Amino acid sequence: GSTQGGRGGAGKTEARPAHEQQQQAGPPKADGRARGVGLKRDDDGAAKPFDNGKVVCIASPFSYTCDVFGDVRTNGTAHTVTLVPVTSRPERREWSIQAYARFNMTGIPNVTVTQLDSTSAASPAPACTVTHRVPAIVLALGGHLGNYFHDFSDALVPLFVASRRYDGEVQLLASNIQPWWLGKYEAVVRRLTKYEVLDLDHDDQIRCFRHVTVGLNMHKEFNIVPELVPGGVPLSMLNFTAFLRETYSLPRAAPISLTNKKSSPPVDRKKKKPRLMLLDRGHYRKLVNVPEIVKAAEKAGFEVTIADPRFNVRVKELALSVNSFDVLLGVHGAGLTNSAFLPPGAVVIQVVPYGKLEPMAQREFGDPAANMGLRYLEYSISVEESTLLETLGPHHPAIKDPDSVHRSGWDKVAEYYLGKQN
């Protein structure tokens, strides 16, 4: 499952102070740098004249990002991005934001974006030690990463949106760097940038760019809103899943067809069956009647495989496996994120736990599935089908009045409906 929350009010402002945000203490410094993730370094002492530049900040329901254009200088150890004007400006302005895709995450330092008022001695700009020819994206790792759903929703999808327009010609600077995460998704990162991912927190260079994007913008949970994609490049979840198929060399771009008589060679329905992957969770929200489900699916004509993907499974291995199926069936949870590897036209069946979780289920997996070109079906568990009825009894508020649990806040919803029922 995923964490709820976020702030409303999408909008776009130029040189406008960011929302008030709680300052977060920086995390302990990570050991090691993400060496070998990119392919080459980018620095070039030759530079063309700058204009006065500008700062454009965008608020989404989940995050806040700033694009800084002009003579832009990053100071990693100070967590600053500074716009140096060519001519004097009337005022100095600052924005303090987190570079993660969700507001107010603990353990992630803020980055201060500063627009200097002049280049006078009263407010000197740090001198460049490295000048880059390509733009940069400042992002933060950590947060909810490590949860498979959030790996995609909070990082991979927003990073794809932010960087794809550059075709690899972009420098990534990662705060709160997580070498294990960059290693796990190395194939994706390598295709989004041709350069080494820099550890922002330990970078003592003053790096100069013409354009720096600070933060990742998450449009929706595990989803892309094409109209919000920067740079005029039309992207959607169809583009994202096509990108994943190319990245991991997934062979199937369509599910089996049992009705196309013109298919070559023709499909023998007696020998070739559609394949169904049944996600069998090893902990809470388990299916307690897996044998019966398998029997029913096989009776309906499916070849069924039971799967419980583990955290340490190699992503390519998992992607190749999921891509070989035509249907993915599972209870609401991170395992359904693997729908991104299904061939377009395949089917996702989400089992929604008891507790009025349908809006969340639709938002986190139903809507993304439709935007991936998948067919989506949903089965909602009744109270009689949930172990909560036996565990809590019929008079418990979680049984007789789910709305009251929702009014109590997300923690109670997660406790009862995501953490205590099968």
Side-chain angles (χ1 to χ4, degrees):
S2 62
T3 300
Q4 304 304 295
R7 294 204 241 176
K12 184 173 182 178
T13 62
E14 182 171 326
R16 181 173 60 82
H19 295 309
E20 292 284 326
Q21 293 195 20
Q22 180 180 354
Q23 294 291 327
Q24 304 288 350
K29 299 301 183 183
D31 292 327
R33 299 174 187 241
R35 300 298 183 189
V37 175
L39 300 180
K40 59 183 180 180
R41 290 182 178 274
D42 166 61
D43 56 82
D44 185 357
K48 297 178 182 179
F50 294 101
D51 60 19
N52 221 31
K54 62 180 178 179
V55 179
V56 180
C57 295
I58 300 175
S60 81
F62 298 95
S63 53
Y64 199 85
T65 61
C66 287
D67 279 280
V68 190
F69 303 88
D71 182 357
V72 191
R73 308 183 188 188
T74 66
N75 184 337
T77 55
H79 295 102
T80 62
V81 175
T82 303
L83 172 61
V84 181
V86 175
T87 60
S88 179
R89 286 187 181 273
E91 62 180 335
R92 175 190 178 103
R93 309 194 78 169
E94 287 189 356
W95 298 257
S96 183
I97 64 175
Q98 286 187 329
Y100 190 76
R102 291 180 190 267
F103 285 121
N104 294 330
M105 297 300 300
T106 59
I108 295 177
N110 282 26
V111 175
T112 301
V113 178
T114 303
Q115 175 184 285
L116 295 181
D117 55 352
S118 70
T119 57
S120 68
S123 55
C128 302
T129 60
V130 181
T131 300
H132 294 260
R133 297 174 291 105
V134 300
I137 297 172
V138 176
L139 66 149
L141 301 177
H144 293 312
L145 302 190
N147 175 293
Y148 192 54
F149 173 81
H150 289 286
D151 287 349
F152 281 75
S153 185
D154 296 17
L156 294 178
V157 173
L159 182 57
F160 171 79
V161 170
S163 62
R164 191 57 175 156
R165 55 179 160 161
Y166 300 121
D167 195 25
E169 293 294 335
V170 62
Q171 176 69 63
L172 302 183
L173 297 95
S175 176
N176 198 31
I177 202 162
Q178 309 287 317
W180 69 266
W181 191 91
L182 290 171
K184 181 173 183 176
Y185 298 104
E186 180 178 0
V188 173
V189 175
R190 279 184 178 272
R191 290 203 65 210
L192 294 177
T193 178
K194 299 176 182 178
Y195 306 98
E196 177 186 16
V197 178
L198 298 176
D199 181 349
L200 183 73
D201 302 335
H202 294 89
D203 185 22
D204 58 3
Q205 302 293 320
I206 303 300
R207 300 182 182 276
C208 291
F209 300 90
R210 293 178 177 275
H211 177 198
V212 176
T213 299
V214 182
L216 296 179
N217 184 4
M218 183 167 67
H219 300 163
K220 292 182 177 181
E221 300 276 8
F222 192 31
N223 216 334
I224 297 172
V225 178
E227 295 78 14
L228 300 181
V229 174
V233 179
L235 292 176
S236 67
M237 288 300 284
L238 280 173
N239 299 110
F240 178 69
T241 54
F243 169 80
L244 292 179
R245 289 195 299 277
E246 293 171 2
T247 299
Y248 292 111
S249 302
L250 306 184
R252 301 177 75 219
I256 186 175
S257 175
L258 302 179
T259 59
N260 185 4
K261 296 181 180 180
K262 297 181 180 180
S263 62
S264 181
V267 175
D268 186 343
R269 295 192 63 170
K270 294 182 179 179
K271 296 181 178 179
K272 186 68 174 178
K273 297 180 180 180
R275 304 188 71 219
L276 184 150
M277 175 181 279
L278 173 60
L279 298 174
D280 185 20
R281 294 173 60 89
H283 48 298
Y284 43 84
R285 278 171 279 145
K286 294 187 296 184
L287 293 166
V288 296
N289 60 338
V290 169
E292 289 85 351
I293 296 172
V294 172
K295 184 177 180 180
E298 290 176 339
K299 185 176 181 180
F302 289 96
E303 175 189 328
V304 182
T305 296
I306 300 173
D308 180 16
R310 298 299 180 178
F311 178 79
N312 58 353
V313 174
R314 292 183 180 275
V315 178
K316 182 168 184 175
E317 177 185 335
L318 182 57
L320 284 167
S321 176
V322 175
N323 184 252
S324 70
F325 286 85
D326 306 289
V327 179
L328 181 66
L329 187 159
V331 178
H332 176 83
L336 290 174
T337 310
N338 289 301
S339 57
F341 301 126
L342 288 171
V347 179
V348 176
I349 304 174
Q350 178 174 200
V351 178
V352 183
Y354 177 73
K356 293 194 173 182
L357 302 182
E358 285 77 11
M360 179 179 69
Q362 180 69 36
R363 181 174 62 251
E364 295 183 358
F365 294 111
D367 292 340
N371 290 338
M372 294 176 200
L374 304 173
R375 297 177 62 189
Y376 175 72
L377 300 173
E378 191 173 280
Y379 180 86
S380 294
I381 293 296
S382 67
V383 67
E384 291 80 15
E385 296 172 297
S386 171
T387 57
L388 280 179
L389 182 60
E390 180 179 352
T391 302
L392 301 177
H395 302 298
H396 193 280
I399 298 297
K400 66 178 184 179
D401 188 11
D403 285 329
S404 69
V405 178
H406 282 264
R407 287 193 298 269
S408 298
W410 168 248
D411 289 345
K412 288 298 182 182
V413 172
E415 176 186 349
Y416 289 115
Y417 300 132
L418 297 182
K420 286 188 174 179
Q421 73 169 313
N422 295 316

